[in-house]
Amino acid sequence: MDSKEAQSQIAQMISFIASEAQDRASEIQKKGEEEFSIEVHRLITEQKEKIRGSFEKQAKTVETQYAIAKSMAVNKMRLEKIKARQEVMNQIEADVRPSLAKESQNAAFITKLIVQGMLMLLENEVVVRCRQADAKLVKGCLDAAQTEYTNHIKTETGASKTCTLSIDTLFLREECLGGVFLSCFGGKITIDNTVDIRLRLTMEQAKPAIRALLFPNA
Protein backbone atom coordinates (compact mmCIF):
# COMPACT_ATOMS: atom_id res chain seq x y z
CA MET A 1 0.00 0.00 0.00
CA ASP A 2 1.47 3.26 -1.07
CA SER A 3 1.21 6.47 0.88
CA LYS A 4 -1.69 7.79 -1.18
CA GLU A 5 -3.88 4.77 -0.45
CA ALA A 6 -2.99 4.97 3.22
CA GLN A 7 -3.91 8.63 3.39
CA SER A 8 -7.16 7.87 1.53
CA GLN A 9 -8.10 5.16 4.03
CA ILE A 10 -7.18 7.41 6.90
CA ALA A 11 -9.32 10.19 5.42
CA GLN A 12 -12.24 7.74 5.01
CA MET A 13 -11.85 6.56 8.61
CA ILE A 14 -11.69 10.14 9.83
CA SER A 15 -14.80 10.98 7.75
CA PHE A 16 -16.62 7.92 9.12
CA ILE A 17 -15.65 8.70 12.69
CA ALA A 18 -16.66 12.35 12.24
CA SER A 19 -20.00 11.28 10.75
CA GLU A 20 -20.63 8.83 13.60
CA ALA A 21 -19.63 11.50 16.11
CA GLN A 22 -21.92 14.02 14.46
CA ASP A 23 -24.81 11.54 14.44
CA ARG A 24 -24.11 10.70 18.07
CA ALA A 25 -23.88 14.35 18.97
CA SER A 26 -27.16 15.04 17.14
CA GLU A 27 -28.79 12.16 18.96
CA ILE A 28 -27.53 13.37 22.32
CA GLN A 29 -28.62 16.92 21.54
CA LYS A 30 -32.06 15.74 20.44
CA LYS A 31 -32.44 13.63 23.56
CA GLY A 32 -31.23 16.52 25.69
CA GLU A 33 -33.72 18.86 24.04
CA GLU A 34 -36.51 16.36 24.64
CA GLU A 35 -35.54 15.92 28.27
CA PHE A 36 -35.22 19.69 28.61
CA SER A 37 -38.67 20.15 27.06
CA ILE A 38 -40.15 17.50 29.38
CA GLU A 39 -38.54 19.12 32.43
CA VAL A 40 -39.70 22.59 31.38
CA HIS A 41 -43.22 21.25 30.85
CA ARG A 42 -43.08 19.53 34.25
CA LEU A 43 -41.89 22.68 35.96
CA ILE A 44 -44.51 24.82 34.21
CA THR A 45 -47.25 22.33 35.09
CA GLU A 46 -46.03 22.19 38.67
CA GLN A 47 -46.03 25.96 38.97
CA LYS A 48 -49.44 26.17 37.38
CA GLU A 49 -50.79 23.70 39.94
CA LYS A 50 -49.20 25.66 42.75
CA ILE A 51 -50.66 28.92 41.43
CA ARG A 52 -54.05 27.28 40.85
CA GLY A 53 -53.97 25.74 44.34
CA SER A 54 -52.98 29.07 45.87
CA PHE A 55 -55.72 30.87 43.93
CA GLU A 56 -58.34 28.30 44.91
CA LYS A 57 -57.26 28.54 48.54
CA GLN A 58 -57.43 32.35 48.44
CA ALA A 59 -60.78 32.21 46.63
CA LYS A 60 -62.13 29.80 49.25
CA THR A 61 -60.86 32.06 52.02
CA VAL A 62 -62.53 35.07 50.41
CA GLU A 63 -65.78 33.13 49.95
CA THR A 64 -65.68 32.01 53.58
CA GLN A 65 -65.01 35.54 54.81
CA TYR A 66 -67.84 36.85 52.61
CA ALA A 67 -70.24 34.19 53.91
CA ILE A 68 -69.31 35.02 57.51
CA ALA A 69 -69.67 38.76 56.90
CA LYS A 70 -73.02 38.25 55.15
CA SER A 71 -74.29 36.03 57.95
CA MET A 72 -73.20 38.57 60.57
CA ALA A 73 -74.88 41.39 58.64
CA VAL A 74 -78.12 39.41 58.31
CA ASN A 75 -78.07 38.48 62.00
CA LYS A 76 -77.35 42.08 62.99
CA MET A 77 -80.26 43.30 60.86
CA ARG A 78 -82.51 40.62 62.32
CA LEU A 79 -81.52 41.57 65.87
CA GLU A 80 -82.09 45.24 65.13
CA LYS A 81 -85.58 44.43 63.82
CA ILE A 82 -86.34 42.33 66.89
CA LYS A 83 -85.06 45.13 69.13
CA ALA A 84 -87.14 47.74 67.27
CA ARG A 85 -90.27 45.59 67.50
CA GLN A 86 -89.69 44.94 71.19
CA GLU A 87 -89.20 48.64 71.85
CA VAL A 88 -92.53 49.36 70.17
CA MET A 89 -94.22 46.60 72.20
CA ASN A 90 -92.70 47.98 75.40
CA GLN A 91 -93.90 51.46 74.48
CA ILE A 92 -97.42 50.20 73.86
CA GLU A 93 -97.40 48.51 77.25
CA ALA A 94 -96.06 51.67 78.91
CA ASP A 95 -98.77 53.75 77.20
CA VAL A 96 -101.65 51.61 78.52
CA ARG A 97 -100.36 51.29 82.08
CA PRO A 98 -101.76 54.67 83.27
CA SER A 99 -105.21 53.78 81.93
CA LEU A 100 -105.09 50.36 83.60
CA ALA A 101 -103.90 51.88 86.87
CA LYS A 102 -106.92 54.18 86.75
CA GLU A 103 -109.23 51.27 85.89
CA SER A 104 -107.96 49.35 88.91
CA GLN A 105 -109.71 51.94 91.08
CA ASN A 106 -113.07 51.03 89.52
CA ALA A 107 -115.16 48.95 91.95
CA ALA A 108 -117.00 47.11 89.12
CA PHE A 109 -113.69 46.15 87.54
CA ILE A 110 -112.29 44.84 90.84
CA THR A 111 -115.50 42.91 91.47
CA LYS A 112 -115.18 41.16 88.09
CA LEU A 113 -111.56 40.24 88.84
CA ILE A 114 -112.58 38.70 92.17
CA VAL A 115 -115.50 36.75 90.64
CA GLN A 116 -113.27 35.41 87.85
CA GLY A 117 -110.83 34.10 90.44
CA MET A 118 -113.62 32.58 92.51
CA LEU A 119 -115.00 30.72 89.48
CA MET A 120 -111.55 29.24 88.84
CA LEU A 121 -111.15 28.09 92.45
CA LEU A 122 -114.76 26.99 93.19
CA GLU A 123 -114.02 26.81 96.92
CA ASN A 124 -116.13 27.74 99.96
CA GLU A 125 -113.58 30.10 101.49
CA VAL A 126 -111.25 32.37 99.54
CA VAL A 127 -108.75 34.97 100.76
CA VAL A 128 -108.29 38.10 98.65
CA ARG A 129 -104.95 39.93 98.61
CA CYS A 130 -104.57 43.45 97.26
CA ARG A 131 -102.38 46.53 97.64
CA GLN A 132 -102.63 48.15 101.04
CA ALA A 133 -103.75 51.35 99.32
CA ASP A 134 -106.65 49.42 97.71
CA ALA A 135 -107.76 47.54 100.85
CA LYS A 136 -110.82 49.74 101.47
CA LEU A 137 -111.90 49.58 97.82
CA VAL A 138 -111.48 45.80 97.58
CA LYS A 139 -113.20 45.17 100.92
CA GLY A 140 -116.18 47.15 99.64
CA CYS A 141 -116.42 44.79 96.62
CA LEU A 142 -116.53 41.50 98.56
CA ASP A 143 -120.31 41.34 99.16
CA ALA A 144 -121.09 42.14 95.53
CA ALA A 145 -118.55 39.55 94.36
CA GLN A 146 -120.02 36.85 96.61
CA THR A 147 -123.56 37.58 95.33
CA GLU A 148 -122.47 37.65 91.68
CA TYR A 149 -120.58 34.37 92.14
CA THR A 150 -123.61 32.62 93.67
CA ASN A 151 -125.93 33.93 90.94
CA HIS A 152 -123.54 32.83 88.19
CA ILE A 153 -123.25 29.28 89.58
CA LYS A 154 -127.06 29.11 89.91
CA THR A 155 -127.60 30.30 86.33
CA GLU A 156 -125.00 28.02 84.77
CA THR A 157 -125.58 24.81 86.78
CA GLY A 158 -128.81 25.24 88.78
CA ALA A 159 -126.83 24.50 91.97
CA SER A 160 -126.76 26.70 95.04
CA LYS A 161 -123.20 27.47 96.07
CA THR A 162 -121.75 30.20 98.21
CA CYS A 163 -118.25 31.38 98.97
CA THR A 164 -116.99 33.45 101.88
CA LEU A 165 -114.40 36.09 101.02
CA SER A 166 -111.93 37.75 103.36
CA ILE A 167 -109.09 40.25 102.99
CA ASP A 168 -105.57 38.85 103.34
CA THR A 169 -103.32 40.22 106.06
CA LEU A 170 -100.52 40.36 103.51
CA PHE A 171 -100.53 42.91 100.70
CA LEU A 172 -99.38 43.15 97.10
CA ARG A 173 -96.42 45.33 96.17
CA GLU A 174 -97.41 48.98 96.03
CA GLU A 175 -95.65 49.45 92.70
CA CYS A 176 -97.97 46.97 90.97
CA LEU A 177 -100.93 48.28 88.98
CA GLY A 178 -103.54 46.84 91.32
CA GLY A 179 -106.03 44.04 91.03
CA VAL A 180 -106.32 40.99 93.27
CA PHE A 181 -104.54 37.77 94.18
CA LEU A 182 -106.83 34.99 95.44
CA SER A 183 -105.87 31.94 97.50
CA CYS A 184 -107.38 29.10 99.49
CA PHE A 185 -106.25 26.23 101.72
CA GLY A 186 -103.67 28.41 103.41
CA GLY A 187 -102.16 29.63 100.16
CA LYS A 188 -101.70 26.16 98.63
CA ILE A 189 -103.93 27.09 95.69
CA THR A 190 -103.67 30.58 94.20
CA ILE A 191 -105.02 32.66 91.34
CA ASP A 192 -103.07 35.74 90.27
CA ASN A 193 -105.61 38.16 88.86
CA THR A 194 -103.58 41.32 89.27
CA VAL A 195 -103.67 43.98 86.57
CA ASP A 196 -99.98 43.35 85.91
CA ILE A 197 -100.43 39.68 85.08
CA ARG A 198 -103.53 40.41 83.00
CA LEU A 199 -101.59 43.01 81.02
CA ARG A 200 -98.70 40.61 80.49
CA LEU A 201 -101.01 37.83 79.27
CA THR A 202 -102.94 40.19 77.02
CA MET A 203 -99.74 41.56 75.46
CA GLU A 204 -98.44 38.03 74.88
CA GLN A 205 -101.68 36.89 73.26
CA ALA A 206 -102.03 40.07 71.19
CA LYS A 207 -98.37 40.17 70.15
CA PRO A 208 -98.83 38.40 66.76
CA ALA A 209 -101.75 40.70 65.82
CA ILE A 210 -99.89 43.82 66.94
CA ARG A 211 -96.76 42.78 65.02
CA ALA A 212 -98.80 42.06 61.89
CA LEU A 213 -100.44 45.47 62.18
CA LEU A 214 -97.28 47.48 62.91
CA PHE A 215 -94.73 45.40 60.98
CA PRO A 216 -96.61 43.86 58.01
CA ASN A 217 -93.41 43.14 56.04
CA ALA A 218 -91.31 41.92 58.97
Side-chain angles (χ1 to χ4, degrees):
M1 178 183 297
D2 57 18
S3 61
K4 285 185 178 181
E5 288 179 351
Q7 288 179 353
S8 176
Q9 287 183 352
I10 291 171
Q12 286 179 354
M13 290 177 64
I14 291 172
S15 177
F16 176 77
I17 292 169
S19 177
E20 285 290 320
Q22 187 175 0
D23 289 345
R24 183 61 178 166
S26 295
E27 186 178 323
I28 293 172
Q29 183 178 358
K30 184 178 180 181
K31 186 177 180 180
E33 288 175 351
E34 288 176 353
E35 290 178 352
F36 174 77
S37 179
I38 292 171
E39 181 64 15
V40 168
H41 182 269
R42 186 187 68 78
L43 291 173
I44 291 174
T45 302
E46 189 178 281
Q47 290 302 313
K48 281 182 178 179
E49 290 299 321
K50 286 183 178 180
I51 293 171
R52 185 181 293 111
S54 177
F55 174 77
E56 290 176 352
K57 184 177 180 181
Q58 290 177 1
K60 189 174 182 179
T61 300
V62 171
E63 288 176 0
T64 302
Q65 291 175 345
Y66 172 76
I68 293 172
K70 183 180 179 181
S71 177
M72 290 177 65
V74 170
N75 289 337
K76 183 179 180 181
M77 186 179 296
R78 186 181 293 120
L79 290 173
E80 287 176 351
K81 285 183 178 180
I82 292 172
K83 181 181 178 182
R85 287 200 297 264
Q86 190 58 47
E87 286 176 351
V88 172
M89 298 295 291
N90 291 342
Q91 187 58 51
I92 292 173
E93 183 174 339
D95 290 343
V96 301
R97 287 178 72 87
S99 298
L100 291 174
K102 184 178 180 181
E103 185 67 15
S104 69
Q105 299 305 302
N106 185 316
F109 177 69
I110 293 298
T111 301
K112 287 181 180 179
L113 292 180
I114 295 173
V115 174
Q116 286 175 355
M118 294 169 71
L119 290 171
M120 285 186 273
L121 292 171
L122 293 174
E123 296 297 335
N124 296 328
E125 295 183 357
V126 173
V127 178
V128 182
R129 185 181 302 176
C130 62
R131 295 185 305 182
Q132 189 170 9
D134 297 336
K136 184 177 180 180
L137 170 65
V138 174
K139 189 174 182 180
C141 298
L142 297 187
D143 289 341
Q146 289 173 165
T147 300
E148 187 175 333
Y149 169 77
T150 298
N151 292 339
H152 184 85
I153 295 292
K154 184 71 174 178
T155 301
E156 294 296 323
T157 67
S160 296
K161 184 172 180 60
T162 61
C163 176
T164 301
L165 297 172
S166 60
I167 295 293
D168 201 340
T169 55
L170 300 175
F171 297 100
L172 298 174
R173 296 176 294 107
E174 289 300 322
E175 59 268 25
C176 79
L177 293 173
V180 292
F181 181 92
L182 286 71
S183 64
C184 56
F185 297 110
K188 292 181 180 178
I189 303 176
T190 62
I191 296 294
D192 189 341
N193 222 10
T194 57
V195 175
D196 302 74
I197 197 69
R198 295 295 294 272
L199 173 59
R200 194 178 310 147
L201 290 173
T202 301
M203 289 295 297
E204 195 63 34
Q205 292 170 357
K207 193 177 290 184
I210 294 174
R211 283 177 176 170
L213 180 64
L214 297 178
F215 311 99
N217 298 321

